[in-house]
Amino acid sequence: MFNLLTAERIKLLRSRKLWIAFLIFALLPIIQVANSKMTVHYGTELVQATDTVINGATGILMMEKNGLTILLVICAFIGFSVGEEFHNGTIRNALSLGRSRTHYYLSKLVIASLLTFVGVMVMTVMGMLSFSVVFGFGEVANIPHYYWFAVKTFITLYFLLLSNASIYVMISFLSKNSSISLIWSFLYTIATGFGAGIFQQTEHFKQVTYWFTESFLFYSDFASPTDIAKYPEMLVVSLITIVVSSTIGILLFKRADIK
């Protein structure tokens, strides 16, 4: 497992995809604070409930504000990263050396987890710094203990994103092709994200949508005491999604024929 992770680290450091992903994560908050500044300049007041991030304190919500963008970047990175292993045949080299398929799968999942963590950390820090410079640090309304709120919010949002990354890893290993993986990952993101909004209008299916973590990510206000109370539920659903998707992915990958 350690040797696989070392090999992945070497490949990643030479990969343009990694640096492009980090560049997007770093530049997006700067672009958004400039856009917010222009909005205020033309007389429109920023409202946290709709604009999500309005000062340095609410910068902790950069993951919520950019949830879809983050998912698409991670989706593309994982799809190309795993798909190229099958396309170039490099996966056979590792397996022919006696590496466990389970370890190989988990090494990709660990890399996806680290990419997600570093990426959202960069985005959050850049968001908090840039919005603090332009709008001041300020505060989050109705939040008495900010630092504890910030820690809980970051962890919860990270696991919501990570659960989707685990789905993308599973899809990539099942499809064995970058293009097909991107298509199915994109369809999954749209269906469970935006499709949930339709079912939330119904009384009987509303709760079902919250078994998909994107429903929490796209339709919750992480600065609202009501939704903050749902953090434990969000973490439980995220962990279940990670375990189930990883188990399915490993079992099917073990039975797959590597050509």
Coordinates of all heavy atoms in Angstrom, one line a residue, residues 8-9 11-25 73 77 111 114-115 118:
E8 N 2.0 6.9 -6.6 CA 1.0 7.9 -6.9 C 1.5 9.3 -6.7 O 1.2 10.2 -7.5 CB -0.2 7.7 -6.1 CG -1.0 6.4 -6.4 CD -1.7 6.5 -7.8 OE1 -1.9 7.6 -8.3 OE2 -1.9 5.5 -8.4
R9 N 2.3 9.5 -5.6 CA 2.8 10.8 -5.3 C 3.7 11.3 -6.4 O 3.7 12.5 -6.8 CB 3.5 10.8 -3.9 CG 4.1 12.1 -3.5 CD 4.8 12.0 -2.2 NE 5.9 11.1 -2.2 CZ 7.1 11.4 -2.6 NH1 7.4 12.7 -3.0 NH2 8.1 10.5 -2.6
K11 N 3.8 10.4 -9.5 CA 3.0 10.7 -10.7 C 2.3 12.0 -10.6 O 2.2 12.8 -11.6 CB 2.1 9.5 -11.0 CG 2.7 8.3 -11.6 CD 1.7 7.2 -12.0 CE 1.0 6.6 -10.9 NZ 0.1 5.5 -11.3
L12 N 1.7 12.2 -9.4 CA 0.9 13.5 -9.3 C 1.8 14.7 -9.4 O 1.4 15.7 -9.9 CB 0.2 13.4 -7.9 CG -1.0 12.6 -7.8 CD1 -1.6 12.6 -6.4 CD2 -2.1 13.1 -8.8
L13 N 3.0 14.7 -8.8 CA 3.9 15.8 -8.8 C 4.3 16.2 -10.3 O 4.6 17.3 -10.5 CB 5.1 15.6 -8.0 CG 4.9 15.5 -6.5 CD1 6.1 15.2 -5.7 CD2 4.3 16.8 -5.9
R14 N 4.2 15.2 -11.1 CA 4.6 15.5 -12.5 C 3.3 15.7 -13.4 O 3.5 16.0 -14.6 CB 5.3 14.3 -13.1 CG 6.6 13.9 -12.4 CD 7.2 12.7 -13.0 NE 8.5 12.3 -12.3 CZ 9.2 11.2 -12.5 NH1 8.7 10.3 -13.4 NH2 10.3 11.0 -11.9
S15 N 2.2 15.7 -12.8 CA 0.9 15.8 -13.5 C 0.5 17.3 -13.6 O 0.4 18.0 -12.6 CB -0.2 15.0 -12.8 OG -1.4 15.2 -13.4
R16 N 0.2 17.7 -14.8 CA -0.4 19.1 -15.0 C -1.8 19.1 -14.5 O -2.3 20.2 -14.0 CB -0.4 19.4 -16.5 CG 1.0 19.6 -17.1 CD 0.9 20.0 -18.5 NE 2.2 20.2 -19.1 CZ 2.4 20.6 -20.4 NH1 1.3 20.7 -21.2 NH2 3.6 20.7 -20.9
K17 N -2.5 18.0 -14.5 CA -3.9 18.0 -14.0 C -4.0 18.5 -12.5 O -4.9 19.2 -12.1 CB -4.5 16.6 -14.1 CG -4.6 16.1 -15.6 CD -5.3 14.8 -15.7 CE -4.6 13.7 -15.0 NZ -3.3 13.4 -15.8
L18 N -3.0 18.0 -11.7 CA -3.0 18.4 -10.3 C -2.9 19.9 -10.1 O -3.6 20.5 -9.4 CB -1.9 17.7 -9.6 CG -1.7 18.0 -8.1 CD1 -2.9 17.5 -7.3 CD2 -0.4 17.5 -7.6
W19 N -1.9 20.5 -10.8 CA -1.6 21.9 -10.7 C -2.8 22.8 -11.3 O -3.0 23.9 -10.8 CB -0.3 22.3 -11.3 CG 0.8 21.5 -10.7 CD1 1.6 20.5 -11.3 CD2 1.3 21.5 -9.3 NE1 2.5 19.9 -10.4 CE2 2.3 20.6 -9.2 CE3 0.9 22.3 -8.2 CZ2 2.9 20.4 -7.9 CZ3 1.6 22.1 -7.0 CH2 2.6 21.2 -6.9
I20 N -3.4 22.3 -12.3 CA -4.5 23.0 -12.9 C -5.7 23.0 -11.9 O -6.3 24.0 -11.7 CB -5.0 22.4 -14.2 CG1 -3.9 22.6 -15.3 CG2 -6.3 22.9 -14.6 CD1 -4.2 21.9 -16.6
A21 N -5.9 21.9 -11.2 CA -7.0 21.8 -10.2 C -6.7 22.7 -9.1 O -7.6 23.5 -8.6 CB -7.1 20.3 -9.7
F22 N -5.5 22.7 -8.6 CA -5.1 23.7 -7.5 C -5.2 25.1 -7.9 O -5.6 26.0 -7.1 CB -3.7 23.3 -6.9 CG -3.7 22.1 -6.1 CD1 -2.5 21.4 -5.9 CD2 -4.8 21.6 -5.5 CE1 -2.4 20.3 -5.1 CE2 -4.8 20.5 -4.7 CZ -3.5 19.8 -4.5
L23 N -4.9 25.4 -9.1 CA -4.9 26.8 -9.6 C -6.4 27.3 -9.6 O -6.7 28.4 -9.3 CB -4.3 26.9 -11.0 CG -4.2 28.3 -11.6 CD1 -3.3 29.1 -10.8 CD2 -3.7 28.2 -13.1
I24 N -7.3 26.4 -10.0 CA -8.7 26.7 -10.0 C -9.2 27.0 -8.6 O -9.9 28.0 -8.3 CB -9.5 25.6 -10.7 CG1 -9.2 25.5 -12.2 CG2 -11.0 25.8 -10.5 CD1 -9.9 24.3 -12.8
F25 N -8.8 26.1 -7.7 CA -9.2 26.3 -6.3 C -8.7 27.6 -5.7 O -9.3 28.2 -4.9 CB -8.7 25.1 -5.4 CG -9.4 23.8 -5.7 CD1 -8.8 22.6 -5.7 CD2 -10.8 23.8 -5.9 CE1 -9.4 21.4 -6.0 CE2 -11.5 22.6 -6.1 CZ -10.8 21.4 -6.2
V73 N -14.4 19.6 -10.7 CA -13.0 19.6 -10.8 C -12.5 18.2 -10.3 O -11.7 17.5 -10.9 CB -12.3 20.7 -10.0 CG1 -10.8 20.5 -9.9 CG2 -12.6 22.0 -10.6
F77 N -10.6 15.3 -12.5 CA -9.3 14.8 -12.0 C -9.3 13.3 -11.8 O -8.5 12.5 -12.3 CB -8.9 15.5 -10.8 CG -7.5 15.0 -10.3 CD1 -6.4 15.5 -10.7 CD2 -7.5 14.0 -9.3 CE1 -5.1 15.1 -10.3 CE2 -6.2 13.5 -8.9 CZ -5.1 14.1 -9.3
I111 N -5.7 9.1 -2.6 CA -5.2 10.3 -3.4 C -6.3 11.3 -3.6 O -6.2 12.5 -3.5 CB -4.6 9.8 -4.7 CG1 -3.3 9.0 -4.4 CG2 -4.3 11.0 -5.6 CD1 -2.2 9.8 -3.7
L114 N -7.0 13.2 -0.4 CA -5.9 14.2 -0.2 C -6.1 15.4 -1.1 O -5.9 16.5 -0.7 CB -4.5 13.6 -0.3 CG -4.2 12.6 0.8 CD1 -2.8 11.9 0.5 CD2 -4.1 13.2 2.2
L115 N -6.4 15.1 -2.4 CA -6.6 16.2 -3.3 C -7.8 17.0 -2.9 O -7.7 18.3 -2.9 CB -6.9 15.6 -4.7 CG -7.4 16.6 -5.7 CD1 -6.3 17.7 -6.1 CD2 -7.9 15.9 -7.0
V118 N -6.7 19.1 0.4 CA -5.7 20.2 0.1 C -6.4 21.3 -0.8 O -6.3 22.5 -0.5 CB -4.5 19.7 -0.6 CG1 -3.6 20.9 -1.0 CG2 -3.7 18.7 0.3

